[in-house]
Amino acid sequence: MLLQQLSIQRLRNLSDVKLEFSQLNIIYGDNGSGKTSVLEAIHYLALGRSFRTHLASRVIHYDHDEFLLWGKVNDHSIGLQRFRNGDVTIKIDGVKAKKLTELLDFLPLQLITPESFSLLTGGPQQRRQFVDWGVFHHDANFFAIWNKCKRLLKQRNSLLKRKASYKEISYWDRELVTYAEQLSELRNRYINSFNPVLKGIIERFLPDTDVTVGYSQGWDKKSDLTQLLEKNYPRDLALGYTTAGPHKADLKLRCGTVPVADALSRGQLKLLVCALRIAQGVHLHSQVGKQTIYLVDDLSSELDGQKREVLIDQLVETGAQLFLSVIDASQIKHQTSKYQCRLFHVKQGVITRDITERE
Ligand SMILES: Nc1ncnc2c1ncn2[C@@H]1O[C@H](COP(=O)(O)OP(=O)(O)OP(=O)(O)O)[C@@H](O)[C@H]1O
Ligand SMILES: [Mg+2]
């Protein structure tokens, strides 16, 4: 996948920007100049949402009522217009898209920001989303199964809140168990094939650590889910929600027996997040042939020169299109000197190509 061109209008402080990208793109400029906003625009075009806020109105330039994005992706034209009242229009090759999911398949994207280590330090939901990104792109059945599980669990929880009898709940549990097992099987299969790729990158990024990756499906492997739901019924009823199931799945990353969040430094956590995200893209490409794009905001934060070099080398080796933001291009000049790259200087929302770039 290649984002060849991007036009951004009225998004944050970017009033009117037109960019032509190459394989390796470096976006640099002072604090508050608009670097993250460029990455936010790419993210919006790929996924129909920001990574900084759930409120579209925050992303629209203060003086306007909508922003407009247009991108050329592998010679397809993608347009997205977002209004302050929440309306959104998406056009793919001039044809109005009916659903946001039409967009998702177009530009698989991996994002790494200074906040990304919350993938390791935060709750399991983020890690489930991480796993599901991979399963979604690998298996065409995933979305329907995932959606079914989500709806059945929602319904089960509302029955629990209404203090429904076990008889009533068990009628729906039969269907829930079927989809839960399918979902778990897809996730398991994905993780087993993804793990060796991840292991290789972790060894390169963190050679002195012994990070292991385990997966918990959300209920005891040895238990039958139907029986477990029955056994848990009194507790679930008291709590008003379902305590075991695929919605409790988690990826367990440990150093020895200690969770990585308690064992690794911030720089090491950042590298581990980078390893996870890069490995997903590499694995997707090798298995499905789809190339991911990588957005790395504030690449140099938390990393020393040698680690920056390892990270940039690994990113370039993926063969994917890269968008890297830094405050000062000289921070990564040494590490990128061997590669062709396009440099974009951002100053108060205005972006210019750097004449000293190497292409
Ligand atoms: N809705 C908006 N309309 C106009 N300007 C905005 C809006 N929201 C934020 N801004 C401004 O946009 C500018 C760009 O912010 P951005 O986060 O992209 O900067 P940055 O270059 O990534 O900075 P840093 O190096 O500090 O991360 C900031 O000056 C911010 O105040
Ligand atoms: Mg920023």
Side-chain angles (χ1 to χ4, degrees), residues 95-109:
V95 180
K96 224 171 163 177
K98 291 189 190 76
K99 283 186 287 186
L100 188 69
T101 42
E102 288 181 46
L103 202 61
L104 302 185
D105 218 21
F106 244 89
L107 199 57
L109 176 152

Side-chain angles (χ1 to χ4, degrees), residues 12-13 30-37 52 58 60-62:
R12 302 248 186 219
N13 70 336
D30 292 341
N31 291 133
S33 56
K35 304 177 297 294
T36 305
S37 303
R52 294 208 273 193
R58 297 277 191 273
I60 300 165
H61 189 289
Y62 300 134

Side-chain angles (χ1 to χ4, degrees), residues 213-266:
V213 184
Y215 175 64
S216 134
Q217 65 173 356
W219 70 93
D220 182 5
K221 269 201 300 242
K222 289 178 223 107
S223 302
D224 172 85
L225 185 57
T226 310
Q227 285 171 8
L228 194 66
L229 289 171
E230 184 176 357
K231 189 175 134 214
N232 287 351
Y233 170 70
R235 185 159 58 125
D236 289 359
L237 195 69
L239 292 168
Y241 61 85
T242 309
T243 48
H247 59 299
K248 295 282 174 184
D250 197 2
L251 206 55
K252 306 272 188 196
L253 292 113
R254 292 197 177 91
C255 285
T257 53
V258 183
V260 288
D262 297 330
L264 299 180
S265 72
R266 280 176 65 96

Side-chain angles (χ1 to χ4, degrees), residues 10-129:
R10 304 173 289 279
L11 182 143
R12 302 248 186 219
N13 70 336
L14 307 171
S15 296
D16 188 6
V17 166
K18 287 185 176 57
L19 302 165
E20 289 206 13
F21 293 123
S22 73
Q23 189 79 9
L24 170 54
N25 303 282
I26 296 170
I27 298 151
Y28 72 98
D30 292 341
N31 291 133
S33 56
K35 304 177 297 294
T36 305
S37 303
V38 174
L39 302 187
E40 193 176 26
I42 298 172
H43 193 275
Y44 225 112
L45 195 68
L47 299 170
R49 61 179 172 84
S50 166
F51 57 84
R52 294 208 273 193
T53 173
H54 295 298
L55 303 171
S57 58
R58 297 277 191 273
V59 186
I60 300 165
H61 189 289
Y62 300 134
D63 302 337
H64 297 274
D65 287 325
E66 49 78 58
F67 69 77
L68 182 64
L69 300 171
W70 176 82
K72 190 169 155 193
V73 181
N74 281 5
D75 292 324
H76 290 283
S77 145
I78 303 182
L80 188 147
Q81 191 171 25
R82 192 75 157 92
F83 295 85
R84 221 171 257 286
N85 67 5
D87 287 352
V88 58
T89 310
I90 298 165
K91 279 190 181 170
I92 300 173
D93 292 326
V95 180
K96 224 171 163 177
K98 291 189 190 76
K99 283 186 287 186
L100 188 69
T101 42
E102 288 181 46
L103 202 61
L104 302 185
D105 218 21
F106 244 89
L107 199 57
L109 176 152
Q110 288 285 351
L111 169 77
I112 298 161
T113 75
E115 290 77 39
S116 289
F117 63 85
S118 66
L119 178 66
L120 303 169
T121 56
Q125 190 185 2
Q126 285 190 56
R127 288 182 291 279
R128 267 196 306 281
Q129 278 171 357

Side-chain angles (χ1 to χ4, degrees), residues 259-312:
V260 288
D262 297 330
L264 299 180
S265 72
R266 280 176 65 96
Q268 288 174 320
L269 286 173
K270 172 158 178 170
L271 283 166
L272 184 53
V273 172
C274 291
L276 282 156
R277 300 232 172 259
I278 294 171
Q280 269 205 320
V282 170
H283 180 247
L284 179 68
H285 191 227
S286 71
Q287 298 289 305
V288 184
K290 263 193 232 171
Q291 191 61 278
T292 305
I293 66 166
Y294 292 93
L295 311 184
V296 187
D297 194 20
D298 205 356
L299 178 132
S300 24
S301 74
E302 318 272 5
L303 301 180
D304 62 47
Q306 190 261 337
K307 293 293 190 238
R308 280 178 214 169
E309 182 158 7
V310 175
L311 173 59
I312 291 170

